[in-house]
Amino acid sequence: GAILEIDQMIFSAMMPKTIQSSIQSLEAITVKFPRRRSHGEVALIFLWATGVIIASYFLLIQPLATDMAALKRIMCDGNQDFIFSLNEAVQMGVAYSRVKQSEVGGLSFAELAVQDFISLSDKSQAKYIFHTEDFIAFDYLRLLQVERMADTELSCDDFDSRPPEYRALRGPHFRSVVAMLGVPEASRCAELVHFCHDVHARGLRYFCGISCGCDDPLASI
């Protein structure tokens, strides 16, 4: 009740008595409200609401729907059953067209790495990506060849037997190598020995030298 009568309470508490008496002595005013006027106001409100809806459709909804349809055509139309790659060394684009997109399951390594990276506030804790704020270092690592890496690594050892500082620094690289072999859950070189002679396992042979036979002069690595 007090909330509904708050205007009366404010009036009584703050308005001077003379003004209160003058207002209370005023006679009531009769206001005529014809039915035609009521119907006119309803019609105006209806027309205003209809105009807002129509304007919203043409100014907001239709352009958004058009953009979404165009995006769908860009992303989903046409032939998608191919893999594209760019050889930056010779500046040539190549495509392989014997993979059906409908048969590709799960996330690619790039999608897996980016999905992990974008959710981190501390980029140095990335699971698969080595993060650097230095563009020169970024460009160097982007173009780094495995032969150059091997020239700087004189010891023959397995990643999981290295010192903790080394594993912390090179962890993203090792995990990306393992993920690209299709076994992202593996963490020890002993679990990956069967990949050592795979033509695409260059990074594995670099990180798992002992397991892949770098200490055996007769081993074919």
Side-chain angles (χ1 to χ4, degrees):
I3 295 177
L4 297 176
E5 297 174 358
I6 191 169
D7 55 337
Q8 183 65 33
M9 294 170 60
I10 294 174
F11 175 77
S12 301
M14 303 183 64
M15 193 66 67
K17 292 295 183 181
T18 53
I19 297 178
Q20 290 186 35
S21 299
S22 299
I23 292 175
Q24 290 171 352
S25 63
L26 292 174
E27 295 183 359
I29 300 176
T30 302
V31 178
K32 294 183 179 180
F33 197 73
R35 181 174 297 180
R36 182 178 298 176
R37 179 180 174 183
S38 175
H39 291 171
E41 288 184 356
V42 171
L44 288 175
I45 293 172
F46 175 78
L47 292 175
W48 175 82
T50 303
V52 169
I53 293 172
I54 293 174
S56 299
Y57 174 78
F58 284 105
L59 297 177
L60 300 174
I61 299 175
Q62 190 180 49
L64 178 61
T66 302
D67 291 343
M68 294 298 293
L71 178 61
K72 182 179 179 181
R73 286 193 296 272
I74 293 171
M75 299 295 294
C76 303
D77 279 3
N79 175 28
Q80 298 188 40
D81 296 336
F82 67 93
I83 298 173
F84 172 81
S85 183
L86 176 66
N87 185 331
E88 295 191 2
V90 296
Q91 298 181 324
M92 178 176 64
V94 292
Y96 175 67
S97 59
R98 300 188 68 180
V99 177
K100 291 186 177 181
Q101 208 239 338
S102 59
E103 296 176 357
V104 177
L107 297 176
S108 67
F109 168 70
E111 292 170 328
L112 185 68
V114 170
Q115 189 178 72
D116 167 74
F117 191 75
I118 60 177
S119 62
L120 297 174
S121 56
D122 182 1
K123 302 305 182 185
S124 65
Q125 300 299 316
K127 188 175 182 180
Y128 301 106
I129 295 176
F130 183 84
H131 179 251
T132 177
E133 300 286 351
D134 184 354
F135 178 77
I136 295 176
F138 164 78
D139 206 45
Y140 171 79
L141 293 172
R142 185 176 64 87
L143 301 173
L144 181 63
Q145 299 292 320
V146 69
E147 293 82 2
R148 182 68 179 272
M149 290 174 54
D151 289 341
T152 61
E153 188 67 55
L154 301 179
S155 61
C156 175
D157 213 338
D158 279 353
F159 176 81
D160 40 284
S161 62
R162 296 276 190 159
E165 298 80 11
Y166 178 91
R167 296 200 303 271
L169 178 64
R170 306 302 293 274
H173 189 182
F174 175 76
R175 287 188 290 271
S176 68
V177 166
V178 171
M180 292 180 75
L181 291 173
V183 283
E185 69 281 355
S187 60
R188 299 174 64 251
C189 289
E191 304 172 57
L192 304 162
V193 174
H194 56 289
F195 287 108
C196 283
H197 298 287
D198 192 297
V199 67
H200 300 298
R202 297 181 298 274
L204 178 65
R205 291 189 287 273
Y206 171 79
F207 279 115
C208 298
I210 292 290
S211 294
C212 289
C214 75
D215 60 340
D216 182 359
L218 300 179
S220 175
I221 61 171

